[in-house]
Amino acid sequence: MMEVIKDLWSFLKERKKWWLFPVLLVIMLLGTLIVFSSGSAIAPFIYTLF
């Protein structure tokens, strides 16, 4: 997993694609929200967002 993050960081730094960083951050935050809320009572409300 760390190798993927290192490769992604080097790609962003080398190609000057800094605008991709917020997009990737939001995608990761939404993914962790789905994973951690999947077994809770608020899961049906989270899934209606998508």
Side-chain angles (χ1 to χ4, degrees), residues 8 12 18-33:
L8 184 62
L12 291 175
W18 298 113
W19 59 272
L20 281 175
F21 185 72
V23 174
L24 294 173
L25 185 67
V26 168
I27 289 173
M28 288 190 309
L29 287 174
L30 287 174
T32 55
L33 178 68

Side-chain angles (χ1 to χ4, degrees), residues 26-27 29-35 37 43-50:
V26 168
I27 289 173
L29 287 174
L30 287 174
T32 55
L33 178 68
I34 290 172
V35 167
S37 68
F45 302 110
I46 298 294
Y47 290 129
T48 58
L49 295 175
F50 305 103

